[in-house]
Amino acid sequence: MLAAGAVSLVGALNVLAASSAGPLDDHDPAHQRPGFLDAVGPRTPAPRIADGFPARGKVSVVFFVRAEQHDPLLERLRLDQELRAAAALAVVTAGPCGVDTAALPGLVQRCDPAARVARGYAMPVPRDEGPPVGYALVGPDGDIRYRTLDPALHLDDVAVMVGAV
Amino acid sequence: MGTATGSPARERAVVATAAALGVEVLLYERYGAHEASFHWFTHLYVGGAAALLVLSGLTLLRRRQAPYPAVWVVLGHVVAMVPDLLFTLRDMAHRPWMDVFLGHLSTHFVPGRNATWFTVFALAVGAYVISVERVGGEAQRGPA
């Protein structure tokens, strides 16, 4: 009886946790932040976002955000010198946006009103069916090695994955 | 789940179960803080099921109940989550070889995802309960 109660409790907790997934989360939680490279099948070349990006011979990170995440992400990237030193960075903002090229020297910024860049990187579509909030990692050879939705944009995760490429 | 016979043994079982529960609550809180509760469930189900199946086998083999099943479940869970500890504490991304930790990577991708592993876990709990009842029944009947 106690065992059945414990199993039922864990199952109920699981249902509750699963139902609290947010609109920016992946339809399939197994594909969100899996933590290992090439989790999505064969490598594919990364589309060019700007001159010299993705960078050859260096890991590149392409962040995909919506307008509301843009400024907070730039502030966090400004403070994260280690990540900026470890990888070339780009921020792709969904929808119409203004790009402040002086915001962070070396940072590539791109507006993606029609989500063409996101589609080019085969970013997953979140539960609200809108543009993705997450990131893709591109290896020094120009191939996409990792892509995930990550509404909170865990930069510590990004740093670990950059180190693994 | 425990069937301790004496009072001190019962107390130890209660303390062990409470400690195991406390560890799981702590682990769930940490995974939740990393927005990774999906992973906590997967590794609990897989690690817990593996531990309970081992316990069931031991119980039937030794003809007496293996003690502290909740502690074994926690141990199984911890084994299954070792790569997550390496990721968080040692900045080590997951690698294919880390599947040695009870399928840490591949278990996330089975059809049905956590619903499948929940079923496996529930069956393992059932197997453990049956093994304990069988051994208990034999003990009550006494030697043939």
Side-chain angles (χ1 to χ4, degrees), chain A:
Chain A
M1 187 63 106
L2 186 61
V7 171
S8 303
L9 187 67
V10 171
L13 192 62
N14 193 350
V15 170
L16 193 67
S19 67
S20 69
L24 299 182
D25 285 320
D26 202 307
H27 288 278
D28 184 349
H31 288 113
Q32 188 163 322
R33 297 163 63 209
F36 61 101
L37 299 174
D38 305 321
V40 289
R43 303 177 188 182
T44 50
R48 194 175 70 88
I49 290 179
D51 285 343
F53 196 98
R56 287 282 165 175
K58 190 174 186 181
V59 179
S60 301
V61 183
V62 186
F63 291 98
F64 293 89
V65 297
R66 298 182 184 182
E68 56 269 31
Q69 287 99 16
H70 180 269
D71 289 349
L73 174 62
L74 254 57
E75 179 59 20
R76 291 170 61 205
L77 291 176
R78 192 180 66 76
L79 297 171
D80 197 334
Q81 294 181 13
E82 278 188 39
L83 183 58
R84 282 191 284 129
L89 305 178
V91 175
V92 176
T93 306
C97 67
V99 169
D100 178 7
T101 52
L104 203 58
L107 177 74
V108 171
Q109 295 188 69
R110 170 93 187 259
C111 300
D112 191 23
R116 281 203 193 96
V117 179
R119 278 198 298 276
Y121 276 76
M123 287 297 291
V125 176
R127 291 161 59 93
D128 72 357
E129 306 297 334
V133 175
Y135 57 93
L137 297 190
V138 181
D141 59 357
D143 284 348
I144 301 171
R145 303 293 308 279
Y146 191 73
R147 56 173 77 84
T148 182
L149 297 182
D150 183 0
L153 295 165
H154 295 82
L155 296 187
D156 45 353
D157 277 17
V158 178
V160 172
M161 297 313 299
V162 165
V165 175

Side-chain angles (χ1 to χ4, degrees), chain A residues 2-4 7-8 10-11 13-14 17 28-37 150-152 154 156-157 160-161 163-164, chain B residues 1-2 28 33-41 44-45 87 91-95 105 108-109 113-114 118 121-122 125 129:
Chain A
L2 186 61
V7 171
S8 303
V10 171
L13 192 62
N14 193 350
D28 184 349
H31 288 113
Q32 188 163 322
R33 297 163 63 209
F36 61 101
L37 299 174
D150 183 0
H154 295 82
D156 45 353
D157 277 17
V160 172
M161 297 313 299
Chain B
M1 280 193 263
Y28 185 77
H34 284 274
E35 299 177 16
S37 59
F38 169 80
H39 298 258
W40 181 87
F41 283 107
L44 170 68
Y45 296 150
F87 192 102
D91 291 344
M92 188 185 294
H94 294 350
R95 309 271 185 191
L105 304 182
H108 287 307
F109 297 96
R113 305 298 193 246
N114 279 352
F118 173 75
F121 178 67
V125 171
V129 170

Side-chain angles (χ1 to χ4, degrees), chain B residues 10-75:
Chain B
R10 181 176 292 276
E11 282 177 14
R12 280 197 298 274
V14 169
V15 169
T17 303
L21 192 63
V23 170
E24 285 299 347
V25 169
L26 186 68
L27 291 175
Y28 185 77
E29 191 277 328
R30 294 315 306 155
Y31 271 77
H34 284 274
E35 299 177 16
S37 59
F38 169 80
H39 298 258
W40 181 87
F41 283 107
T42 310
H43 303 314
L44 170 68
Y45 296 150
V46 174
L52 288 170
L53 290 175
V54 169
L55 274 193
S56 303
L58 284 176
T59 298
L60 292 174
L61 206 64
R62 298 163 66 194
R63 298 286 165 209
R64 62 188 171 91
Q65 181 189 357
Y68 313 133
V71 173
W72 283 73
V73 168
V74 173
L75 287 176

